[in-house]
Amino acid sequence: NAGVTQTPKFRILKIGQSMTLQCAQDMNHNYMYWYRQDPGMGLKLIYYSVGAGITDKGEVPNGYNVSRSTTEDFPLRLELAAPSQTSVYFCASSYSGRSEKLFFGSGTQLSVL
Amino acid sequence: QQPVQSPQAVILREGEDAVINCSSSKALYSVHWYRQKHGEAPVFLMILLKGGEQKGHEKISASFNEKKQQSSLYLTASQLSYSGTYFCGTEYGANSKLTFGKGITLSVRP
């Protein structure tokens, strides 16, 4: 099983550029999440989805957008990239949203210069 | 509200024991523990639920004190592979999302 697959692993953007971080899971999980991790700050929830067609904001959603057209895929869109969005981004999934373990992807290291 | 983890860092020799803590000022529904090695994704260790239920790693020991809103992770007879950053995540209700602490760096030396 592939689990949670994220692409790309690394990316450098210029200020103002846009990009989409891809996330796919093959475990038929209903819940999917996007987190960002900054040094010494832990993981902050950006957006989450409880199923296809349903998304909601997390703790730090500004500057990001998401969509969930299928159970498997949950892309994260950065519009007008800013240096403050330099971070490591993790996608995760779980079968349900209530006290279930999260399965994480391998992460995307993004630098905005 | 972000849980508070302590201590900030732990350095051990192989075979030594350690306790790391996670506390909250709000009533907790559950506490989750994850370990992350440098450059890798966090990996699930354990979930402790209000009422005493636990899910997770058979070789990991943890406690959840509901009165103190605190959880402790017990690492006994530490191995080199225990090195990494340990994060706790807390849920405050059945419909709340996980809020992670800043993490504790644990280093096990030979």
Side-chain angles (χ1 to χ4, degrees):
Chain A
N1 282 342
V4 180
T5 303
Q6 283 184 244
T7 56
K9 290 193 182 299
F10 304 96
R11 184 72 185 267
I12 298 174
L13 284 181
K14 293 183 179 178
I15 294 172
Q17 286 185 321
S18 300
M19 77 162 294
T20 300
L21 280 66
Q22 301 292 345
C23 176
Q25 54 91 10
D26 62 359
M27 296 174 283
N28 202 31
H29 283 172
N30 294 313
Y31 284 67
M32 296 187 75
Y33 311 83
W34 275 105
Y35 289 92
R36 60 176 288 172
Q37 184 176 34
D38 301 306
M41 299 302 293
L43 294 148
K44 301 287 189 183
L45 182 63
I46 305 171
Y47 270 95
Y48 67 97
S49 169
V50 303
I54 306 169
T55 63
D56 207 348
K57 295 178 181 178
E59 189 180 357
V60 290
N62 291 344
Y64 307 95
N65 279 301
V66 294
S67 60
R68 183 107 180 261
S69 57
T70 67
T71 300
E72 295 77 19
D73 299 299
F74 190 41
L76 178 72
R77 177 88 179 154
L78 278 72
E79 305 281 1
L80 299 174
S84 60
Q85 293 178 304
T86 294
S87 189
V88 179
Y89 291 84
F90 288 101
C91 178
S93 72
S94 64
Y95 180 70
S96 79
R98 184 170 173 175
S99 300
E100 290 285 337
K101 68 184 276 189
L102 298 181
F103 293 80
F104 284 89
S106 57
T108 296
Q109 172 76 61
L110 177 68
S111 296
V112 182
L113 305 174
Chain B
Q1 189 169 4
Q2 191 173 39
V4 176
Q5 294 189 243
S6 63
Q8 283 192 320
V10 178
I11 300 175
L12 299 172
R13 295 276 184 198
E14 264 187 299
E16 291 182 340
D17 302 337
V19 180
I20 56 180
N21 303 301
C22 176
S23 63
S24 171
S25 57
K26 286 177 62 174
L28 292 172
Y29 178 80
S30 70
V31 179
H32 302 220
W33 286 97
Y34 287 80
R35 178 171 60 211
Q36 184 180 32
K37 293 187 179 289
H38 184 69
E40 297 181 9
V43 174
F44 170 78
L45 295 176
M46 175 167 278
I47 297 172
L48 301 103
L49 292 153
K50 186 177 177 179
E53 183 182 355
Q54 294 188 4
K55 309 178 190 179
H57 207 295
E58 291 177 357
K59 295 186 179 180
I60 299 286
S61 172
S63 65
F64 179 12
N65 187 323
E66 292 179 36
K67 286 185 179 178
K68 291 186 177 180
Q69 308 306 329
Q70 180 176 317
S71 176
S72 297
L73 191 68
Y74 304 96
L75 301 163
T76 57
S78 59
Q79 304 171 17
L80 295 175
S81 61
Y82 288 9
S83 293
T85 302
Y86 289 76
F87 292 99
C88 72
T90 50
E91 288 177 316
Y92 300 106
N95 295 318
S96 73
K97 295 294 167 274
L98 267 186
T99 303
F100 285 94
K102 293 183 178 181
I104 292 171
T105 301
L106 185 134
S107 301
V108 181
R109 307 278 170 85

